[in-house]
Amino acid sequence: MTAVVRPRSDLRNAQRIMSGIVKSDATKLIISGMGSGKTGATLDALYTMLSRFEVHHVLVIAPRFVAANTWPDEIAAWQHTRALSYAVAVGEPEERAAAIKARKEITTINFENLPWLAQHIRSVENWYWDAVVIDESSRMKSGEGRTKPTKVKTVNKAGEIVIKVRKGGNMTRFGIMTTARRKIDRVIELTGTPAPKGLIDLWGQAYLLDQGQRLGRDKSEFEKRWFDKDEYTHTVEPKPGAEEEILARLRDVLVTIPQEKVAEDAKFIPMKVRLPQKAMLEYREFEKTLYSEIHDVEAVSNGVLANKLLQFANGHMYREDRSVVHIHDAKMDALDELIETAQGENLLVFYGFKFDKDAIRKRYPHAVVANECKDFVTDWNKKKIRLGLAHPASIGHGTNLQYGGHLAAWYGLTFSLELWLQANMRLPRPGQTEQVLIYPIIAEGTYDERAITILNDRDATQDRIIRNFTLKT
């Protein structure tokens, strides 16, 4: 997991193809799966175009974690792209404002902050990015320019459920981008799942590329022309021949990058999260005093403290009577984003404590726990399980899960090298057909970082021992 600066020559063939497409086409929807190197390939193209002054300022719109971490990390990972200047408009309002004011070559921002950006720059005339990259462009699929009124359930002081109507009419992220579109020369969309709910998802993405030239300038007209809508169930089905017609119209702006040979080793992508400021102050006090008065939790020794700090990083802690206190949702928010980005692909999540499992299952009732399902391995490999939960001790040696998916996450870390290595080997096994991606969710400034350091050190030591005692043949 140690970062290595790579020369440009390390770009894989598929990445070179993607880079060439970004350089040659002013508008393109590039379809390529998670872990295929889309970020590095796009950065390679942007480096060339920025160096030649073909573009001057690039706005990258991406999921929060990807905007805050993946793009900056990838810029730093390549020898040539390290020369690019960039700013991240993801954090607190002051940080975002500073990033926009800096006018760097590349600015990254998350989808949720687009309404803030529109308000911050006040007028589309202040829009200065001549190129936009939309990472995970299927999040623009709604094609709705303004929000609609919605009903919200709330509980009043008397404990009664009250239904309120939240006014609509605010510009959506899609609406903001359609307004800014006339100021943008190049739009590149990246996704692994262009139509998670079917052909209907393509209109919004296509409109941001060509402003309605291919599929029409109005979504309702698009739907009327190519879809039948059930007036009772409101389900939408494509008319006969619709798929062929729609894809034919998009042929010059849509491209799928063929999958390359799968790497044998898993690729680790740390998801770094920040605890809320209040929780971080409480963490520091607990680490120093071994006692949290606000949460009524005590660590009776430094050995117990290490375990408690891992609990704190995950978002809950056990009290002495084994009751559970909730502290924050930083890791849950990261898991939400990972699940959304996976767009329906199966995900295996390793948890550290029972309260982690309970919290995840409360958020995602369809999650299946490995040691509570006798047919877990069979069902997973038949791709019947969208979200699998497993404690690393319950799913180690010999469990073959390579046929059911290629994505895994560590919600809670461990100090055990054996559990770490064994769990990480469940997906990258003979028969796996895709690049395995493992996302350790790491709370910055906590014992999570210590755990990762210890695991890497122990793994390096073990690797040296194995190499030194390997029989020469």
Side-chain angles (χ1 to χ4, degrees), residues 30 36 40 190 203 250 296:
I30 299 175
S36 62
L190 308 172
W203 184 84
L250 296 177
D296 190 25

Short mmCIF file of all heavy atoms in Angstrom, two decimals, residues 30 36 40 190 203 250 296:
data_model
loop_
_atom_site.label_atom_id
_atom_site.label_comp_id
_atom_site.label_asym_id
_atom_site.label_seq_id
_atom_site.Cartn_x
_atom_site.Cartn_y
_atom_site.Cartn_z
N ILE A 30 -17.02 7.88 -21.62
CA ILE A 30 -16.11 6.73 -21.62
C ILE A 30 -16.58 5.73 -20.56
O ILE A 30 -16.66 6.06 -19.37
CB ILE A 30 -14.66 7.16 -21.33
CG1 ILE A 30 -14.18 8.13 -22.41
CG2 ILE A 30 -13.75 5.94 -21.24
CD1 ILE A 30 -12.79 8.70 -22.15
N SER A 36 -10.05 0.36 -13.50
CA SER A 36 -9.48 0.23 -14.84
C SER A 36 -8.45 1.32 -15.16
O SER A 36 -7.84 1.30 -16.22
CB SER A 36 -10.60 0.29 -15.89
OG SER A 36 -11.28 1.54 -15.82
N GLY A 40 -6.05 7.95 -13.93
CA GLY A 40 -4.69 8.13 -14.45
C GLY A 40 -4.67 8.43 -15.93
O GLY A 40 -3.91 9.28 -16.40
N LEU A 190 -17.02 9.97 -17.30
CA LEU A 190 -16.42 8.67 -16.99
C LEU A 190 -17.39 7.87 -16.13
O LEU A 190 -17.94 8.40 -15.16
CB LEU A 190 -15.11 8.85 -16.21
CG LEU A 190 -14.06 9.80 -16.80
CD1 LEU A 190 -12.92 10.00 -15.80
CD2 LEU A 190 -13.52 9.25 -18.13
N TRP A 203 -30.27 9.97 -21.11
CA TRP A 203 -30.60 11.31 -21.62
C TRP A 203 -29.81 12.41 -20.92
O TRP A 203 -29.21 13.27 -21.57
CB TRP A 203 -32.10 11.59 -21.51
CG TRP A 203 -32.44 12.92 -22.13
CD1 TRP A 203 -32.68 13.17 -23.45
CD2 TRP A 203 -32.52 14.18 -21.46
NE1 TRP A 203 -32.91 14.51 -23.65
CE2 TRP A 203 -32.82 15.16 -22.44
CE3 TRP A 203 -32.37 14.59 -20.13
CZ2 TRP A 203 -32.97 16.51 -22.14
CZ3 TRP A 203 -32.53 15.94 -19.82
CH2 TRP A 203 -32.82 16.88 -20.81
N LEU A 250 -25.99 7.73 -30.36
CA LEU A 250 -24.89 8.05 -29.43
C LEU A 250 -23.55 7.44 -29.85
O LEU A 250 -22.55 7.59 -29.15
CB LEU A 250 -25.24 7.55 -28.02
CG LEU A 250 -26.44 8.20 -27.34
CD1 LEU A 250 -26.70 7.54 -25.98
CD2 LEU A 250 -26.22 9.70 -27.14
N ASP A 296 -19.05 8.13 28.89
CA ASP A 296 -18.99 7.20 30.01
C ASP A 296 -18.29 5.90 29.63
O ASP A 296 -18.80 4.79 29.86
CB ASP A 296 -20.40 6.91 30.54
CG ASP A 296 -20.37 6.14 31.86
OD1 ASP A 296 -19.36 6.25 32.59
OD2 ASP A 296 -21.35 5.43 32.16
#
